[in-house]
């Protein structure tokens, strides 16, 4: 008898062991639901540089979802969820036999169930793989719950469950729900708030507190009772939770910085796939200020037919875009529009690099320029000409003819075109000769964002780096220092870059000479230099140094203003998206007020400084009418910063009465009513300098295939004191009654001109192409 009993026990033990092993193998081999193989899809949420939400996108156009770890969930919220859904979650293996028995009992008695039979693990399986409610599916669900418990820890199961729960109002996941309903993270919930959120998954639509607060409150009270029964609350804590008022966040979804976020969404590859937080460079407070300032300014211009505008603010040290604001549906920061005079500073910078100085004088007189497309006769904005002007005066007053003369010193349109491309202007998709001399006056199109970053290169004294819209790069956010306004020479309120984070951004590359960039900033910040056109008290005037440039396109279609300091660049555009003209407003009256208010705001909030003068820059006493060093006894001189000593005064600069002798090209201007210099100047009696008018250097001509080769000629024109003789080693030249002419043939050709009176020579070159 005992022997048989022992055999039965052995067999039973063997069956149990084999059964356990079989169960173990079966659970290990059971594939988990596909929905649990990866994290649930999260909404893409755009955050500003301080972590504040700008916009959250729907997942599959149906719901908002946000993920969090269990460590980010407050203990009361965990206790409330377990109390409401699965009190024995920590002890059962995935299926709760007691809950099943209770559910069967309630069904047999036909009473209302006191609680459901499904455990949290079973609910997780249903959330990951929804199927119709059948007996077979219920058994399969229980088996999969055992498999999940066999492989995952309780904390992971609870984390996955909380991240997949539907809390109503399109909110999926506890993190999304806490922010939506209460405006706070799941780690910062009281017992009363936790019970409210734990109550919602029972019936997310019916219990939505925004729609039926009383029903949600009643369910919350029930959850609090479960928490008391489970021991997570005592009687006193329960009483406090019941009495605690619940403050719901108004039903709303963030829609901040719409033009900035839309730009990210339209730029391929910028927004990471897979959802989750997207950390941007934007400063939300600054962007709101920019939006308000722009809106107020547009309201002021409503009678000028100015309906739209845009603002960009860049942190110069990093290239981060701190603000990008617009108006209406069109993103003015990304439209391509005629640049007006905002391109001129780059012309002057190239001239400074080529040896010109701020004191260099160019003629601002009516001038006809020969171009490959014909004669070009530009005018100044106010139709007035100033005669001999320094580069500082010409840039400050945005003179057009002087800008073209400066372009000649800079290397012509090809050099300017190349420089603009170097600093990130991508809209100049035609070759330089397409734009010609008008490139420096703004006949090319630019985007405000790219223009702002080009000026940020000037703010780095010639160091270029791409602008950035996304953060998480290792740079600390800009630090407010509102306790004191910094003077022009005090350090800024920006935190230094940590040494171990210097490689967070691609290294900046030098594209302009630092000394020349310093002189340009000094010229653009000179309020006295621009007073002739803008006055001493304009929107470009500050109590601290700021480099400024305005621009206005033809027919008042676009207003631009850009201002920069070593720390920040602010660029503003005002106009109409459809390109219709505004009424009599320029950059200084349309866009400059917005730039001024933003620069003042940045100065007050963060502080600004100014550039230290490079050691190679020195100050010299110069004559503003000659551009050369002034004689010791000369009156009306100016002190000018230069990279190298200006040319000494020449013996023939002045006549016997100390009047400045001007070349012959000033003659018509001297005789006109616009001559404001009077007896300070006179026309030189010496022969005029040789100057080739046609063909202009780099002109391109096309052979007409319908005409005989020997019948295609171009005229040659020059200004000189005597007769001009022409020569070309590769093309024939002949003199006719209409003047000298040159036959053209395919290839590149150099043409020489010589003044018979002085022996001076000049050269130009052309390129001839087949049609």
């Amino acid at each position: 008898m005992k022997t048989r009993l022992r055999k039965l026990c052995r067999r039973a033990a063997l069956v149990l062991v084999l059964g356990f092993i079989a169960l173990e193998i079966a659970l290990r081999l059971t594939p988990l639901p596909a929905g649990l193989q990866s994290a649930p899809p999260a909404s893409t949420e755009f955050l500003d540089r301080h972590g504040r939400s700008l916009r959250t996108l729907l997942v599959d156009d149906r719901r908002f979802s946000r993920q969090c770890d269990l460590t980010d969930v407050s203990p009361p919220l965990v206790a409330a969820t377990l109390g409401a859904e699965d009190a024995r979650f920590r002890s059962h293996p995935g299926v709760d036999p007691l809950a099943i028995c209770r559910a069967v009992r309630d069904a047999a008695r036909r009473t209302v169930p006191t609680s459901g039979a499904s455990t949290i693990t079973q609910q997780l399986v249903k959330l990951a793989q929804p199927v119709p409610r059948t007996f077979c599916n219920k058994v399969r669900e229980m088996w999969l719950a055992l498999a999940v418990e066999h492989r995952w820890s309780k904390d992971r199961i609870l984390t996955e469950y909380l991240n997949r729960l539907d809390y109503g109002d399109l909110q999926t996941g506890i993190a999304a729900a806490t922010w939506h309903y209460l405006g706070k993270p799941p780690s910062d919930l009281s017992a009363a708030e936790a019970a409210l959120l734990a109550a919602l998954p029972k019936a997310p639509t019916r219990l939505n507190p925004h729609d039926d607060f009383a029903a949600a409150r009643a369910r919350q009270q029930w959850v609090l009772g479960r928490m008391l029964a489970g021991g997570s609350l005592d009687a006193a804590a329960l009483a406090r939770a019941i009495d605690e008022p619940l403050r719901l966040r108004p039903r709303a979804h963030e829609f901040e910085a719409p033009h900035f976020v839309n730009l990210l969404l339209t730029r391929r590859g910028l927004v990471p796939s897979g959802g989750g937080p997207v950390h941007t460079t934007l400063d939300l407070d600054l962007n709101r200020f920019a939006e308000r300032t722009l809106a107020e300014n547009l309201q002021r211009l409503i009678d000028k037919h100015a309906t739209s505008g845009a603002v960009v603010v860049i942190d110069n040290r990093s290239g981060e875009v701190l603000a990008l604001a617009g108006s209406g549906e069109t993103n003015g920061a990304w439209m391509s529009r005629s640049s007006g005079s905002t391109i001129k500073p780059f012309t002057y910078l190239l001239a400074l690099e080529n040896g010109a100085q701020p004191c260099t004088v160019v003629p601002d007189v009516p001038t006809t320029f020969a171009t490959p497309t014909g004669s070009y006769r530009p005018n100044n904005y106010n139709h007035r000409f100033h005669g001999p002007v320094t580069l500082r005066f010409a840039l400050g007053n945005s003179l057009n003819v002087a800008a073209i003369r400066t372009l000649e010193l800079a290397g012509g349109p090809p050099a300017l075109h190349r420089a603009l491309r170097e600093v990130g202007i991508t809209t100049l998709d035609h070759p330089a000769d397409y734009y010609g001399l008008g490139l420096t006056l703004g006949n090319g199109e630019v985007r405000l964002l790219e223009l702002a970053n080009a000026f940020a290169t000037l703010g780095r004294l010639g160091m270029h780096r791409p602008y950035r819209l996304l953060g998480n790069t290792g740079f600390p956010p800009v630090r407010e220092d509102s306790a004191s306004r910094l003077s022009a020479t005090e350090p800024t309120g920006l935190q230094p870059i940590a040494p171990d984070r210097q490689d967070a951004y691609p290294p900046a590359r030098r594209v302009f000479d630092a000394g020349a960039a310093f002189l340009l900033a000094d010229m653009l910040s000179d309020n006295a230099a621009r007073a002739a056109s803008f006055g001493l008290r304009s929107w470009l005037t500050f109590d601290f140094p700021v480099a400024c440039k305005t621009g206005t396109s033809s027919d008042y279609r676009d207003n631009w203003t850009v201002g920069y300091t070593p720390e920040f660049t602010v660029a503003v555009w005002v106009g109409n998206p459809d390109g219709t003209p505004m009424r009599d407003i320029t950059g200084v009256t349309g866009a400059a007020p917005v730039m001024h208010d933003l620069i003042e705001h940045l100065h007050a909030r963060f502080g600004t400084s100014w550039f230290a003068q490079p050691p190679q820059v020195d100050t010299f006493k110069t004559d503003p009418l000659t551009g050369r060093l002034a004689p010791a006894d000369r009156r009306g001189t100016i002190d000018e910063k230069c990279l190298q000593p200006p040319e000494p005064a020449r013996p023939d600069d002045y006549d016997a009465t100390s009047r400045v002798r001007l070349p012959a090209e000033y003659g018509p201007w001297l005789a006109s009513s616009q001559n404001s210099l009077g007896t300070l100047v006179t026309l030189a009696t010496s022969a005029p300098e040789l100057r080739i008018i046609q063909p202009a250097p780099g002109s391109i001509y096309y052979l007409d295939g319908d005409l005989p080769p020997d019948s295609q000629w171009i005229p040659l024109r020059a200004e000189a004191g005597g007769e001009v003789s022409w020569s070309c080693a590769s093309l024939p030249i002949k003199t006719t009654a209409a003047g000298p002419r040159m036959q053209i043939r395919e290839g590149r050709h150099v043409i020489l001109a010589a003044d018979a009176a002085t022996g001076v020579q000049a050269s130009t070159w052309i390129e001839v192409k087949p049609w």
Side-chain angles (χ1 to χ4, degrees):
M1 185 69 181
K2 291 182 179 180
T3 301
R4 180 182 297 177
L5 183 60
R6 283 197 296 271
K7 289 182 178 179
L8 288 174
C9 290
R10 289 192 190 102
R11 289 175 181 173
L14 180 60
V15 170
L16 288 175
V17 171
L18 292 176
F20 178 79
I21 293 174
L23 179 63
E24 177 77 14
I25 293 173
L27 290 175
R28 285 182 177 273
L29 294 178
T30 299
L32 298 184
L36 294 181
Q37 302 295 333
S38 59
S43 293
T44 298
E45 183 179 18
F46 295 95
L47 306 173
D48 90 329
R49 66 190 301 112
H50 304 294
R52 290 172 294 186
S53 182
L54 303 175
R55 191 190 306 180
T56 304
L57 305 183
L58 287 167
V59 175
D60 301 328
D61 295 326
R62 291 185 298 151
R63 63 186 185 277
F64 296 100
S65 176
R66 184 185 289 190
Q67 311 297 306
C68 69
D69 294 326
L70 193 61
T71 55
D72 298 324
V73 179
S74 67
L77 183 52
V78 173
T81 301
L82 297 183
E85 302 294 340
D86 190 354
R88 284 180 292 279
F89 170 73
R90 294 291 182 182
S91 58
H92 64 63
V95 176
D96 189 350
L98 293 178
I100 294 174
C101 292
R102 184 173 59 250
V104 171
R105 180 200 66 189
D106 293 341
R109 294 177 178 177
R110 297 181 180 178
T111 60
V112 178
T114 57
S115 63
S118 293
T119 64
I120 281 179
T121 314
Q122 289 176 257
Q123 294 181 56
L124 175 61
V125 170
K126 283 190 289 188
L127 290 170
Q129 188 173 322
V131 293
R133 296 187 59 166
T134 65
F135 177 76
C136 291
N137 284 338
K138 189 67 176 180
V139 173
R140 183 172 181 274
E141 171 194 299
M142 296 169 66
W143 176 256
L144 288 173
L146 293 172
V148 170
E149 291 266 354
H150 191 72
R151 301 184 195 179
W152 287 2
S153 68
K154 289 288 187 179
D155 283 354
R156 181 176 179 184
I157 292 170
L158 188 56
T159 300
E160 297 286 343
Y161 174 71
L162 290 172
N163 283 331
R164 286 174 164 83
L165 267 182
D166 180 5
Y167 287 88
D169 235 12
L170 304 180
Q171 306 302 312
T172 298
I174 188 60
T178 57
W179 282 107
H180 176 71
Y181 289 113
L182 301 171
K184 57 176 63 177
S187 60
D188 192 25
L189 300 185
S190 66
E193 294 168 331
L196 175 68
L197 290 176
L200 303 183
K202 176 71 175 177
T205 301
R206 179 173 60 83
L207 296 175
N208 187 330
H210 285 302
D211 297 331
D212 192 342
F213 183 78
R217 177 77 171 177
R219 174 73 177 171
Q220 179 228 24
Q221 303 292 309
W222 179 86
V223 174
L224 287 171
R226 299 283 294 176
M227 294 173 70
L228 177 67
S232 58
L233 288 180
D234 56 24
L238 175 64
R240 289 193 299 271
I242 292 174
D243 293 338
E244 180 181 326
L246 295 171
R247 297 179 177 85
L248 294 180
R249 180 172 178 253
R251 178 184 270 161
H253 297 290
E254 290 82 2
F255 198 77
E256 300 281 3
H259 299 89
F260 178 84
V261 175
N262 287 346
L263 179 61
L264 286 173
L265 292 173
T266 56
R267 299 286 304 280
R268 287 186 177 182
L270 279 183
V271 180
S273 60
V278 176
H279 298 272
T280 73
T281 61
L282 192 90
D283 184 303
L284 181 55
D285 289 337
L286 179 61
N287 204 75
R288 286 171 173 167
F289 181 84
E291 289 174 337
R292 288 196 307 271
T293 303
L294 180 62
E296 292 168 0
N297 189 62
L298 290 176
Q299 184 63 32
R300 179 180 61 84
L301 300 173
I302 194 168
D303 63 327
K304 301 294 186 181
H305 188 53
T307 63
S308 189
V311 176
V312 171
V313 181
I314 291 180
D315 181 347
N316 289 344
R317 67 184 182 145
S318 62
E320 292 179 337
V321 176
L322 301 179
L324 190 153
S327 59
E329 297 182 358
T330 304
N331 193 341
W334 197 244
M335 288 192 305
S336 297
R337 302 301 291 259
S338 176
S339 61
S341 295
T342 56
I343 297 301
K344 287 177 182 173
F346 298 93
T347 300
Y348 284 78
L349 179 56
L350 293 175
L352 294 172
E353 287 188 323
N354 282 353
Q357 305 290 346
C359 62
T360 299
V361 167
V362 292
D364 178 41
V365 296
T367 306
T368 299
F369 296 92
T371 72
T373 58
S375 297
Y376 178 46
R377 190 175 179 85
N379 207 334
N380 288 330
Y381 166 74
N382 58 3
H383 304 286
R384 290 193 58 83
F385 295 90
H386 299 78
V389 293
T390 64
L391 297 194
R392 179 181 292 271
F393 182 93
L395 177 59
N397 294 280
S398 201
L399 304 179
N400 289 338
V401 173
I404 294 179
R405 291 300 188 109
T406 305
L407 181 62
E408 295 174 346
L409 302 176
L416 178 58
H417 186 271
R418 184 168 55 252
L420 294 174
R421 300 281 293 183
E422 279 282 302
V423 294
I425 303 297
T426 64
T427 48
L428 300 176
D429 46 9
H430 296 287
D433 58 0
Y434 173 87
Y435 304 99
L437 300 176
L439 181 60
T440 189
L441 304 185
N443 68 359
E445 293 188 334
V446 298
R447 295 187 175 107
L448 182 68
L449 177 56
E450 294 181 344
L451 180 68
N453 197 52
F455 272 82
T457 299
L458 305 181
R460 300 184 204 101
L461 294 184
M463 299 295 290
H464 177 71
R465 62 166 23 111
Y467 62 83
R468 295 189 66 90
L469 301 172
L470 298 182
N472 269 351
T473 52
F475 276 83
V478 289
R479 177 176 63 84
E480 295 190 29
D481 189 0
S482 57
S484 63
R485 290 169 63 101
L486 302 182
S487 71
T489 57
E490 289 176 325
T492 75
L494 302 180
Q495 293 181 357
I497 303 169
D500 59 343
R501 294 179 176 177
Q502 293 284 351
D503 58 350
Y505 287 105
R509 57 187 177 86
R510 179 158 297 285
V511 294
F512 298 122
D513 176 73
F518 168 82
L519 290 179
L520 180 71
D522 187 75
M523 294 160 68
L524 290 173
S525 66
D526 190 341
N527 198 51
R530 55 175 166 254
S533 293
F534 300 100
L536 290 173
R537 300 300 301 176
S538 72
W539 290 108
L540 307 181
T541 304
F542 296 87
D543 294 332
F544 50 93
V546 179
C548 305
K549 186 69 190 79
T550 63
T552 305
S553 65
S554 60
D555 298 327
Y556 305 105
R557 296 177 188 275
D558 304 278
N559 284 179
W560 307 83
T561 302
V562 186
Y564 67 91
T565 69
E567 294 77 23
F568 304 105
T569 295
V570 176
V572 182
W573 168 81
V574 170
N576 296 304
D578 61 1
T580 56
M582 297 174 285
R583 285 193 284 271
D584 300 327
I585 56 172
T586 63
V588 74
T589 56
V594 180
M595 182 278 297
H596 185 277
D597 288 352
L598 276 160
I599 290 284
E600 290 280 5
H601 178 78
L602 291 166
H603 181 70
R605 181 177 168 191
F606 302 112
T608 60
S609 63
W610 194 240
F611 306 99
Q613 181 167 312
Q616 66 268 35
V617 173
D618 206 347
T619 303
F620 301 89
K621 191 174 296 294
T622 63
D623 188 329
L625 298 180
T626 67
R628 290 184 271 273
L629 289 173
D633 58 347
R634 182 69 178 167
R635 300 175 61 183
T637 61
I638 59 172
D639 292 332
E640 185 59 89
K641 298 183 181 73
C642 300
L643 281 170
Q644 54 193 4
E647 181 184 354
R650 298 175 181 174
D652 59 349
D653 280 345
Y654 309 98
D655 67 6
T657 60
S658 296
R659 293 181 301 178
V660 172
R661 291 192 176 105
L662 297 178
E665 62 182 314
Y666 286 93
W669 175 82
L670 280 169
S672 74
S673 60
Q674 294 191 10
N675 177 5
S676 58
L677 297 179
T679 59
L680 295 176
V681 294
T682 185
L683 196 63
T685 57
S686 59
E689 295 181 1
L690 174 62
R691 176 168 169 260
I692 296 177
I693 298 176
Q694 188 176 3
S699 297
I700 297 177
Y701 295 89
Y702 292 91
L703 293 170
D704 190 338
D706 296 330
L707 296 177
D710 58 358
S711 66
Q712 301 186 49
W713 299 73
I714 62 172
L716 303 175
R717 295 174 53 219
E719 289 181 352
E723 184 178 350
V724 176
S725 61
W726 297 87
S727 62
C728 178
S730 54
L731 294 177
I733 297 175
K734 68 179 181 179
T735 302
T736 67
R741 298 165 62 84
M742 181 174 66
Q743 186 179 355
I744 57 174
R745 298 170 184 165
E746 185 176 347
R748 182 185 173 101
H749 311 280
V750 177
I751 304 103
L752 299 177
D755 187 343
T758 63
V760 174
Q761 291 188 341
S763 66
T764 185
W765 64 275
I766 64 171
E767 187 170 356
V768 182
K769 298 180 179 180
W771 185 254

